Amino acid sequence: MTQTTLPPVKKTEPVSAPKRGLSDRSRSERKLGWLLAGPAFVVMLAVTAYPILQAVYESLFSYRLTDPANREFTGLTNYWVILTDPIWWQAIWVTVFITVVTVAVELVLGFGLAMVMAKALSSIRPVVRAAILIPYAVITVVSAFAWQFAFDINTGFVNSWFAWIPGVTADTDWFGDRWQSLLVICLAEIWKTTPFISLLLLAGLAQVPEVLQEAAKVDGATWWQRLWRVTIPNMKAAIMVALLFRSLDAFRVFDSIFIMTGGANGTESVSFLAYRQTIARLEIGLGSAVSVLLFLVVVLIAFTFIKAFKVDLASTRGE
C-alpha cells in the first residue's frame, strides 16, 4: 500500500488577469497590504533586528560593564575564546540533549492527545481540550517551581509516592546528580509544552480529507496502515510546523534550569551560559558572542527543518 494524498490543486489565473504585469487592482491591494503591515514590520525590526545587530557589534569588543574605560576592539577573539572552551561544548551538548529528548517525547504524546481531542465525544470535547491545554497556560517559572518542590528531597512528595520504583528512596536527591537533574528538567518541559504540539497537530488532523480515510477502509486498510499511509502523509505540514516551533523553543531552554539547578551539576544550557556571562559576570563582549552563536544555531535549525521536510505551505493551503 502506498502513501495516499490528494493531488495538488492546479493553479489557474483569472480570465480577466493580464498576461504580464500587475493589474491596477493588484497594485492597489499590494499597496494597501504594505500600508497595513508597515507599522508592524517597523516595530518588529525595532525589537528584533536592532538587538541582534547590537549584540553582533558588542561581541567584537573586550568589554566588561564594571570596567568601561578599558573597552577594546578585539575582532573575532571572543568567538575564538568561546569555541575553544569546553564549557561551551558542554552547554551545547546539554541543550541538544534536552531538545532531542523533549521534542521526541512531546511529538508522540502530542499526537496521541490530538487524536483524543479529535475523536472525543462532541458533548465532552470542549472539556477534554481545556483539560489537556491547562499545563500550557501555566507560566514557565511557576511550572519550574512546582516541579522543583515536587522533587525536592526535603519538601517533595515524589520520593514517598514512588518509593516502590527501583532506585527511588526517601533519600534520593534528584538535584544532586547531573542525569537525575536533566530527567526532572525534561519532565517539566514535556509536561508544560506537550499541549502546544498537540494543538498544532490537532489542526493538522482537521486537514486530513475524510474521503481518503473512507477509501482506505473500503480497500481493507487496518488502523495502523491508515495512520502511516493516509493520516501522517497528509499532516506533513502540521508536523513540520510543530517540530520547528518546539525545537526552536526547546533550544532556548532557560527558565527550568535557572529555577531547578541554577546550572549546577553540568546542567548549564547555551541560554544559561549567555545569561551567566552577560548578567552574572557582566562580560558584555563574551555574553554577546554567546548570544550571536546561539542565534546562528537557531537559524541553522530552522533552515534544516525547512529543507528536510520540503513542505510548501502555500500549496498546502491550495493557493
Side-chain angles (χ1 to χ4, degrees):
M1 188 176 181
T2 58
Q3 294 182 357
T4 305
T5 58
L6 287 176
V9 179
K10 185 178 180 180
K11 296 181 179 179
T12 58
E13 294 183 354
V15 176
S16 58
K19 294 295 183 181
R20 294 180 179 177
L22 295 175
S23 64
D24 293 339
R25 180 178 179 181
S26 297
R27 279 194 289 269
S28 176
E29 290 179 346
R30 176 173 291 186
K31 182 179 179 181
L32 177 62
W34 276 109
L35 288 176
L36 294 175
F41 185 71
V42 172
V43 172
M44 187 177 69
L45 279 180
V47 300
T48 57
Y50 174 74
I52 292 173
L53 295 176
Q54 184 69 26
V56 172
Y57 176 75
E58 296 291 351
S59 67
L60 303 178
F61 289 84
S62 174
Y63 176 35
R64 190 180 179 92
L65 198 60
T66 55
D67 189 19
N70 288 324
R71 177 186 173 118
E72 180 184 2
F73 179 79
T74 57
L76 299 178
T77 302
N78 286 330
Y79 294 98
W80 174 257
V81 171
I82 294 169
L83 293 176
T84 56
D85 195 323
I87 294 178
W88 161 259
W89 294 108
Q90 176 179 288
I92 282 284
W93 186 92
V94 170
T95 307
V96 171
F97 176 81
I98 293 175
T99 301
V100 172
V101 171
T102 56
V103 173
V105 175
E106 289 172 16
L107 180 63
V108 176
L109 293 179
F111 191 80
L113 292 175
M115 297 195 73
V116 169
M117 288 190 284
K119 302 297 182 182
L121 296 175
S122 57
S123 59
I124 62 172
R125 190 172 298 165
V127 178
V128 172
R129 291 181 179 179
I132 290 175
L133 294 176
I134 283 176
Y136 192 61
V138 178
I139 300 173
T140 305
V141 173
V142 176
S143 168
F145 270 119
W147 280 84
Q148 185 197 33
F149 291 144
F151 280 85
D152 189 87
I153 192 173
N154 298 314
T155 61
F157 59 85
V158 171
N159 286 349
S160 58
W161 284 19
F162 297 96
W164 51 274
I165 297 178
V168 179
T169 66
D171 298 325
T172 300
D173 185 4
W174 294 93
F175 299 110
D177 175 77
R178 181 185 194 184
W179 291 107
Q180 291 177 339
S181 300
L182 290 177
L183 173 64
V184 179
I185 291 170
C186 288
L187 288 175
E189 291 289 314
I190 292 169
W191 177 83
K192 173 73 174 60
T193 52
T194 295
F196 173 71
I197 283 191
S198 67
L199 199 61
L200 295 177
L201 295 180
L202 177 63
L205 276 175
Q207 295 178 349
V208 179
E210 191 62 28
V211 62
L212 295 182
Q213 298 281 8
E214 296 297 331
K217 288 181 182 177
V218 172
D219 289 342
T222 63
W223 180 89
W224 190 253
Q225 288 174 325
R226 294 199 305 274
L227 174 67
W228 283 102
R229 303 296 184 182
V230 178
T231 305
I232 291 180
N234 284 282
M235 291 180 59
K236 195 175 179 182
I239 293 174
M240 190 274 285
V241 172
L243 285 178
L244 175 60
F245 281 17
R246 182 59 194 124
S247 296
L248 298 181
D249 185 51
F251 205 84
R252 296 181 293 106
V253 59
F254 174 80
D255 309 61
S256 298
I257 296 174
F258 181 81
I259 298 298
M260 294 186 192
T261 66
N265 301 323
T267 59
E268 191 173 64
S269 66
V270 177
S271 294
F272 195 92
L273 179 62
Y275 157 80
R276 191 162 61 83
Q277 293 295 330
T278 308
I279 306 300
R281 300 185 66 234
L282 301 177
E283 290 281 1
I284 305 301
L286 279 175
S288 298
V290 174
S291 300
V292 172
L293 291 174
L294 173 61
F295 171 74
L296 294 178
V297 174
V298 168
V299 172
L300 179 63
I301 292 174
F303 180 79
T304 303
F305 268 99
I306 293 173
K307 287 297 182 183
F309 275 83
K310 299 178 180 177
V311 174
D312 185 357
L313 295 178
S315 64
T316 303
R317 295 194 303 268
E319 295 178 354

